[in-house]
Amino acid sequence: MYRRTFLKTGALAGAGILTTGLSFGQQDIKVNVGRRVGMIGLDTSHSIEFTKILNREDTSNDFGGYRVVAAYPHGSKDIESSMTRIPGYTDQMREMGIQIVDSIDELLKITDVILLETNDGRLHLEQAIRVFKAKKIMFIDKPVAGSLTDAISIFQAAKDFQVPVFSTSSMRYMTNMDEIVNRKSIGNILGASTYSPCTLEKTHPDFYWYGVHGVEALFTVMGTGCQRVSRIHTQDTDFAVGVWVDDRIGTFRGLRKGRTGFGGEVYGETGIKSIGVDAGYAPLLKVVTKYFQTGIPPVSPEETIEIFTFMEAADESKRRNGASVILEEVRQKALSQVRKSW
């Protein structure tokens, strides 16, 4: 069984891997026709770069007319690399004509859709619930949350409030992804190996902070269905091996020394192909603004939850000295800790 079959049939529900009942049907979607984009969090360079791309006059038609009009700057309160960026990025946003507001509630009153850009994933659940209550469609930048329990909670809250949401890394849209995923070049996908920088942040699970880019790329080509993962960890490198339910193998290498970058190889029935190079943020923003128009998340909650389960299971493997860890075990533990606070 290959990627497309997994996506079409949801075969993993029987394996207990997926969190079922979270996908949005067409009948659930309520789309706001406005084009005013509000941004939460100015503690990441994505805030500046996304605004520059969306607000350029010569590219406005490429993004459905969506423009960033206002931002709430505050993000992390204790991650120094994020905290120290806020004043400078706030000034840059003002220079681009963006209104800076003092609260998320104020932001929600003057915007139609939301980009949640706060770098600190631990704040996302609280911030997201306020957006859901206002019935605003939202994109959540990586990581979707600071824990697997919070990630599951975000999607459950979205379901409860009947407001679409999705999250992804821009590495999902590397240059060769489309032809690989749609089997235009190497046929059915038998396995893949990806790599990315993997800076660690003590407040987050190891791969959530930056390794998520490479893991997202891995799942983009492999699809859902990872059953177990094992991980080798050293000071400079991480190496995680996932085994899918159909015995395919996918690996992720996290880089912390020497030259780093984003990439990987995909092994197909008829060839081997590179996943390409980082295409920047424009391809992601085209997908995001189309989603704002349709209300249809391009990445399912189930897939995102499995990605974050894989990364949490990799941490558990590290704690167990590299032993193989079943994803369902990790998912069930996280589910048991979900407490509806909305």
Side-chain angles (χ1 to χ4, degrees), residues 40 46 50 114-118 120-121 123-125 127-129 131-132 137-146 150-151 154-155 158 164-169 216 284 288 291-292 304 308:
I40 298 174
H46 289 190
F50 286 11
I114 296 296
L115 295 173
L116 202 169
E117 295 299 319
T118 305
D120 188 342
L123 304 180
H124 285 182
L125 176 59
Q127 294 172 330
I129 288 173
V131 178
F132 294 149
I137 295 178
M138 172 174 52
F139 167 74
I140 302 178
D141 210 342
K142 65 82 189 170
V144 67
D150 277 6
I154 284 172
F155 287 111
V165 66
F166 96 99
S167 178
T168 190
S169 158
E216 184 97 36
L284 168 63
V288 169
Y291 151 73
F292 285 159
T304 300
F308 281 79

Side-chain angles (χ1 to χ4, degrees), residues 101-118:
V101 299
D102 294 326
S103 70
I104 292 176
D105 290 342
E106 185 179 352
L107 180 74
L108 294 171
K109 291 177 182 178
I110 59 174
T111 56
D112 304 305
V113 295
I114 296 296
L115 295 173
L116 202 169
E117 295 299 319
T118 305

Side-chain angles (χ1 to χ4, degrees), residues 90-108:
T90 300
D91 289 342
Q92 287 187 55
M93 293 291 274
R94 285 198 176 102
E95 290 170 3
M96 289 188 281
I98 308 305
Q99 181 179 350
I100 303 300
V101 299
D102 294 326
S103 70
I104 292 176
D105 290 342
E106 185 179 352
L107 180 74
L108 294 171

Side-chain angles (χ1 to χ4, degrees), residues 291-318:
Y291 151 73
F292 285 159
Q293 291 175 303
T294 65
I296 302 173
V299 182
S300 72
E302 289 84 1
E303 182 165 352
T304 300
I305 289 170
E306 187 170 321
I307 289 169
F308 281 79
T309 304
F310 175 97
M311 294 190 291
E312 178 57 43
D315 264 17
E316 184 61 28
S317 176
K318 175 186 172 183

Side-chain angles (χ1 to χ4, degrees), residues 53-67:
I53 293 170
L54 290 175
N55 288 22
R56 280 179 54 186
E57 294 296 338
D58 60 337
T59 61
S60 60
N61 290 334
D62 295 335
F63 304 101
Y66 286 91
R67 297 177 64 86

